[in-house]
Amino acid sequence: MGVEGIGASVVRKEDRRFITGRGRYVDDIKLVGLTHAHFVRSPHAHARVKGIDSSAAEKMPGVVGVLTGQQIVDDKVGNLICGWAITSKDGTGMKMGAWPAMAPEIVRFAGQAVAVVIAETKNQARDAAEAVVVDYEELPVAADIRAAIKPGAPQLHPEAAGNVIYDWTIGEEAATDAAFKAAANVVSLDITNNRLVPNAMEPRAAIAEYNDAEEHFTLYTTSQNPHVARLVLSAFYNIAQEHKLRVVAPDVGGGFGSKIFIYPEEMVALWASKRVRRPVKWTGDRSEAFLTDAHGRDHLTKAEMAFDKDNKITGLRVKTYANLGAYMSLFSSSVPTYLYATLLSGQYNIPNIFAEVISVYTNTTPVDAYRGAGRPEASFVVERLMETAARQFKVDPAELRRKNFITQFPHQTPVIMAYDVGDFGASLDSAMKAIDYAGFPARKAKAKAEGKLRGIGISCYIEACGIAPSKAVGSLGAGVGLWESAEVRVNPVGTIEILTGSHSHGQGHETTFAQLVAGRLGIPISQVSIVHGDTDKVQFGMGTYGSRSAAVGMSAIFKAMEKVEAKAKKIAAHQLEASEADIVIENGEFKVTGTDKSIALPMVALAAYTAHNLPDGMEPGLKEGAFYDPTNFTFPAGAYICEIEVDSGTGKTSFVNFVAADDFGQLINPMIVEGQVHGGLAQGIGQALLEGAVYDGSGQLMTASFMDYTMPRADDLPSFKLSHTTTLCPGNPLGVKGCGEAGAIGASAAVINAITDAIGNNKLEMPATPDRVWHAIHG
């Protein structure tokens, strides 16, 4: 493949502009006549808007206009939607309450916008927003799952009786119940999966410009999928026709799922730009991010696992309540259903699984996909149960897992997923060797002698990513296809542009995508440029989320490259007067096998565009496109083992070691993969030890800044030891699997299993703060 092809740890091309401050983010964009928006947000979690007096604000310096929720409704801008239909066990559809871009009448979470001020400067807009007087009538609040489902709870949406959005099931209930009745042992746990706030480095932002002459809109936005944004904004929200709307997502400083969705602010900016006939810019601050960016997780689960007398798993039964917040966000319905319950088999051969998921409305920020999206929650349930079972049965946790591993592939689970390949034992062996698992008892005894509590925890995760195929997800309620597109353009001088529907916001696509092309043609990656994030340049694409960029996005490039190479070989054979079958591509040249005859790529490209000497009937030019729809998910898997020490006097947890053995199939760029794993591990450890969104009973977010919401710092994290085992994915032409979310999926369970092992108390909720750990130790 060459020194810069697949498998090489090539330094990221894009990093030069980022580390020198030359990235181009939405907030960097300046347009002629730009105005600034600042939202008037409800201080109440549930209230009726009785009136809005903007007269004083409208007279303030620089104010262009004050627009309200009632005006956006009057202009027939559509409500925000959820794009994945879920059907309850009784056959009824999910209960989607109306979510207007700004509330005309009822606010349902603290921070929901009721009006927006447009002014010449950001500070003028902010000052005027404080002068807008809103008359609220406070309403009763349901700030968490338990409060929302209890009898007599406040009703959030008239469509959803008892605040239940759907009551959904998967698996065979009768067969699972029978497995439990026949079981030799049953292990059960009550599990809380704590709510998280995404906190990407770059807050959300939007700039909207309306061209009156052409009746055309342009939206610059912090989006992970600009084409889906354009589709939804035009087809469902009635803001602009699709061919009259350009969406550009330039450099984006992190997403983690929170920038997949369409938010009210983008809609309002577009609508307001037409109302005021000026470009409108909104850049959220960190407080707005805490209050309005889609949160993640937030499950309450009762889980039970049945075993036979030989400690083989015979059944798994799970009942989960999922908090979706005040409204249904774009993909929220799928996260606790098809992205969660379908992974409850884990790495284990479980013949019977039944899961029930009840999603509920609460007076909190809407909840949607966050790094891992359902799979971290599933992995946590399964791996906590496995560790608990090992302790209950007094057997080694690693050997209990090994006894129950799936070893024959392909493997059909009872909950839809068909695992294609894997070698779970190899990952576990690799992790155990790296951490010296056999030597742990001696280390534990030494720590005890020194007055320290030492523990070790295992997590064997599996995930399904590269969500696919379109026909399958469509049958499960997805509102879009999940293919990806690519176009390969070879220019007349031999340089290459790759247009991809994938979006890069930290993944390194400008490097890895170029490596694929450079490796196939034997050229430097400097000759390859990656174009993405602009709906006027790339015809259509599905964006980046769910660890799909390599498996789906790069596979589309691979397919387009095959077409380009086939045409280029025809041209080269014609030019060299050779058989097409004898042409090979090496080091940027098309060579005739067994001879010294060759022609360089730039000359082939030039021949394609001059068209002076092409094979009869061939069209000029050298560019090809492809759409790739995968045949199956990819199934990354691995084993994480964490060794920690707990100070019984303070409850503080310190890392001794953390090893991660992952199977990502073919690695495109091992260095970038390592960085992705590090980031995921940091987020998984953050959830386990530090992070948690907390609301009080009145629906106020108590953790609404970095003063109260603890993000992991460098000194909170260990030095990770990473290794890889490899089973090539048969479902795509590159043999790749996803790597971006794995760390976040597997880490939390390993940490909690280690702490509970150290303290001898299995009842410990995330985040395992020193206070919680101390109380778990001392009662």
Side-chain angles (χ1 to χ4, degrees):
M1 277 288 183
V3 295
E4 293 186 315
I6 287 177
S9 290
V10 178
V11 174
R12 296 194 342 165
K13 291 172 64 177
E14 49 269 72
D15 282 351
R16 178 178 292 274
R17 74 172 184 274
F18 291 145
I19 63 177
T20 56
R22 294 171 185 164
R24 186 172 182 263
Y25 299 89
V26 172
D27 195 53
D28 296 322
I29 296 168
K30 295 176 173 59
L31 302 177
V32 175
L34 190 66
T35 64
H36 296 262
H38 190 82
F39 286 87
V40 179
R41 300 188 182 277
S42 170
H44 307 294
H46 200 196
R48 189 180 308 280
V49 180
K50 297 180 70 177
I52 298 176
D53 182 358
S54 60
S55 56
E58 289 167 354
K59 296 172 185 173
M60 291 179 69
V63 173
V64 176
V66 180
L67 304 172
T68 68
Q70 190 57 55
Q71 286 173 293
I72 200 168
V73 170
D74 291 344
D75 281 356
K76 296 182 170 50
V77 172
N79 294 320
L80 283 85
I81 63 162
C82 178
W84 195 304
I86 298 295
T87 302
S88 289
K89 62 184 182 182
D90 63 3
T92 60
M94 63 190 190
K95 311 301 190 293
M96 185 164 59
W99 184 7
M102 294 190 293
E105 184 181 3
I106 303 289
V107 292
R108 294 181 172 88
F109 67 97
Q112 186 172 1
V114 298
V116 65
V117 176
I118 313 296
E120 299 290 350
T121 71
K122 188 172 184 176
N123 286 339
Q124 287 173 335
R126 187 187 299 270
D127 290 345
E130 293 181 3
V132 176
V133 179
V134 185
D135 183 12
Y136 294 101
E137 175 194 341
E138 289 190 61
L139 300 172
V141 170
D144 60 38
I145 293 170
R146 292 182 178 91
I149 61 175
K150 72 180 181 182
Q155 180 78 29
L156 269 66
H157 293 278
E159 299 88 349
N163 296 316
V164 172
I165 301 166
Y166 54 72
D167 184 344
W168 174 90
T169 60
I170 190 171
E172 296 295 330
E173 185 174 18
T176 305
D177 288 346
F180 273 84
K181 286 177 183 174
N185 290 293
V186 172
V187 175
S188 65
L189 273 180
D190 292 317
I191 293 171
T192 299
N193 207 288
N194 45 320
R195 178 185 280 234
L196 302 176
V197 182
N199 279 311
M201 274 200 295
E202 181 196 18
R204 290 189 297 111
I207 299 175
E209 181 178 27
Y210 177 67
N211 183 321
D212 202 6
E214 298 179 4
E215 298 182 326
H216 184 277
F217 292 85
T218 300
L219 174 67
Y220 300 90
T221 182
T222 48
S223 175
Q224 296 177 218
N225 50 1
H227 288 92
V228 173
R230 184 179 69 161
L231 172 66
V232 173
L233 286 164
S234 59
F236 297 98
Y237 299 161
N238 195 35
I239 288 177
Q241 293 177 288
E242 194 169 13
H243 69 298
K244 295 284 189 178
L245 173 60
R246 177 189 182 196
V247 177
V248 182
D251 288 329
V252 173
F256 311 118
S258 70
K259 293 175 183 171
I260 299 173
F261 326 113
I262 308 303
Y263 287 92
E265 291 83 3
E266 292 99 350
M267 298 168 62
V268 172
L270 282 164
W271 168 73
S273 71
K274 184 175 181 180
R275 293 277 305 219
V276 304
R277 293 296 198 270
R278 298 267 299 275
V280 173
K281 177 179 183 178
W282 170 78
T283 301
D285 60 30
R286 190 58 63 179
S287 294
E288 287 178 294
F290 271 99
L291 288 170
T292 66
D293 289 8
H295 291 178
R297 320 287 191 246
D298 208 345
H299 287 189
L300 294 179
T301 296
K302 170 77 172 180
E304 304 170 280
M305 190 174 273
F307 292 82
D308 67 14
K309 61 181 176 56
D310 298 318
N311 294 339
K312 287 285 194 77
I313 306 169
T314 58
L316 174 64
R317 193 160 52 196
V318 174
K319 184 173 186 177
T320 293
Y321 285 89
N323 185 355
L324 296 193
Y327 299 97
M328 297 190 75
S329 178
L330 190 61
F331 293 124
S332 60
S333 60
S334 65
V335 175
T337 51
Y338 291 112
L339 299 182
Y340 162 70
T342 56
L343 270 298
L344 286 170
S345 191
Q347 297 187 4
Y348 310 109
N349 189 0
I350 307 178
N352 302 289
I353 300 175
F354 178 74
E356 180 177 16
V357 177
I358 301 165
S359 68
V360 300
Y361 287 120
T362 64
N363 292 117
T364 61
T365 301
V367 175
D368 210 311
Y370 173 62
R371 198 170 191 168
R375 289 96 83 202
E377 298 92 308
S379 184
F380 192 77
V381 166
V382 174
E383 290 307 294
R384 289 288 290 123
L385 281 170
M386 290 301 286
E387 201 78 13
T388 303
R391 294 169 191 171
Q392 191 169 310
F393 305 158
K394 294 182 169 51
V395 297
D396 183 84
E399 294 315 305
L400 180 65
R401 287 173 167 86
R402 195 184 304 278
K403 180 186 285 260
N404 285 282
F405 277 157
I406 296 160
T407 56
Q408 299 294 317
F409 295 90
H411 175 85
Q412 178 64 55
T413 74
V415 281
I416 294 180
M417 293 300 177
Y419 301 163
D420 45 18
V421 293
D423 188 344
F424 306 145
S427 293
L428 182 58
D429 288 342
S430 179
M432 290 172 70
K433 181 179 179 182
I435 208 162
D436 182 19
Y437 188 81
F440 175 73
R443 297 195 298 275
K444 185 180 180 80
K446 184 174 182 293
K448 185 177 181 181
E450 296 169 354
K452 293 291 180 84
L453 304 175
R454 189 171 286 212
I456 197 163
I458 300 174
S459 175
C460 294
Y461 79 91
I462 191 168
E463 62 163 320
C465 55
I467 304 174
S470 294
K471 185 175 182 180
V473 297
S475 70
L476 300 177
V480 292
L482 290 171
W483 41 265
E484 195 47 89
S485 73
E487 185 179 343
V488 176
R489 295 178 180 174
V490 183
N491 296 319
V493 293
T495 58
I496 298 173
E497 296 169 68
I498 305 297
L499 282 68
T500 172
S502 298
H503 185 275
S504 181
H505 39 278
Q507 292 83 355
H509 294 172
E510 291 173 42
T511 304
T512 53
F513 287 12
Q515 282 182 254
L516 167 62
V517 177
R520 289 184 68 88
L521 297 177
I523 59 175
I525 63 170
S526 59
Q527 283 185 229
V528 184
S529 68
I530 307 300
V531 180
H532 70 98
D534 188 336
T535 61
D536 269 15
K537 293 179 179 179
V538 180
Q539 184 205 346
F540 208 92
M542 296 311 300
T544 293
Y545 43 86
S547 302
R548 71 192 307 271
S549 294
V552 189
M554 287 185 77
S555 291
I557 296 171
F558 181 95
K559 293 294 186 184
M561 279 296 298
E562 286 185 324
K563 297 177 183 179
V564 164
E565 289 166 13
K567 183 173 183 179
K569 284 182 176 181
K570 285 184 170 68
I571 296 170
H574 182 74
Q575 296 279 330
L576 296 171
E577 298 180 340
S579 167
E580 185 184 334
D582 292 335
I583 300 294
V584 294
I585 306 173
E586 293 178 1
N587 300 321
E589 294 184 323
F590 292 75
K591 298 180 178 179
V592 181
T593 303
T595 75
D596 59 359
K597 295 170 69 176
S598 67
I599 181 171
L601 171 63
M603 300 309 296
V604 174
L606 189 62
Y609 286 97
T610 57
H612 295 163
N613 184 19
L614 293 177
D616 290 341
M618 177 179 281
E619 293 181 357
L622 191 53
K623 72 169 188 174
E624 298 288 346
F627 285 73
Y628 178 74
D629 200 358
T631 57
N632 194 1
F633 293 79
T634 70
F635 298 97
Y640 295 169
I641 306 181
C642 172
E643 186 173 335
I644 56 90
E645 216 165 58
V646 174
D647 185 326
S648 62
T650 64
K652 179 174 171 55
T653 298
S654 301
F655 287 97
V656 176
N657 206 345
F658 196 113
V659 302
D662 296 290
D663 178 1
F664 297 135
Q666 167 91 283
L667 301 186
I668 304 299
N669 184 316
M671 181 172 61
I672 289 178
V673 169
E674 187 171 313
Q676 288 286 302
V677 175
H678 280 188
L681 292 173
Q683 283 176 278
I685 290 169
Q687 175 170 16
L689 293 181
L690 302 164
E691 297 183 54
V694 178
Y695 285 87
D696 69 10
S698 66
Q700 294 298 320
L701 182 61
M702 306 301 288
T703 51
S705 77
F706 290 135
M707 295 289 288
D708 304 294
Y709 186 94
T710 311
M711 296 279 282
R713 275 72 166 176
D715 62 352
D716 293 313
L717 302 171
S719 181
F720 304 114
K721 294 181 180 177
L722 308 187
S723 62
H724 298 94
T725 58
T726 302
T727 57
L728 295 178
C729 175
N732 62 70
L734 296 167
V736 298
K737 307 178 185 182
C739 70
E741 295 167 290
I745 292 168
S748 298
V751 173
I752 299 300
N753 284 340
I755 298 172
T756 54
D757 176 55
I759 66 177
N761 183 348
N762 201 43
K763 293 184 178 179
L764 182 67
E765 290 189 355
M766 296 188 292
T769 59
D771 179 67
R772 277 186 174 162
V773 173
W774 189 92
H775 278 93
I777 294 169
H778 300 286

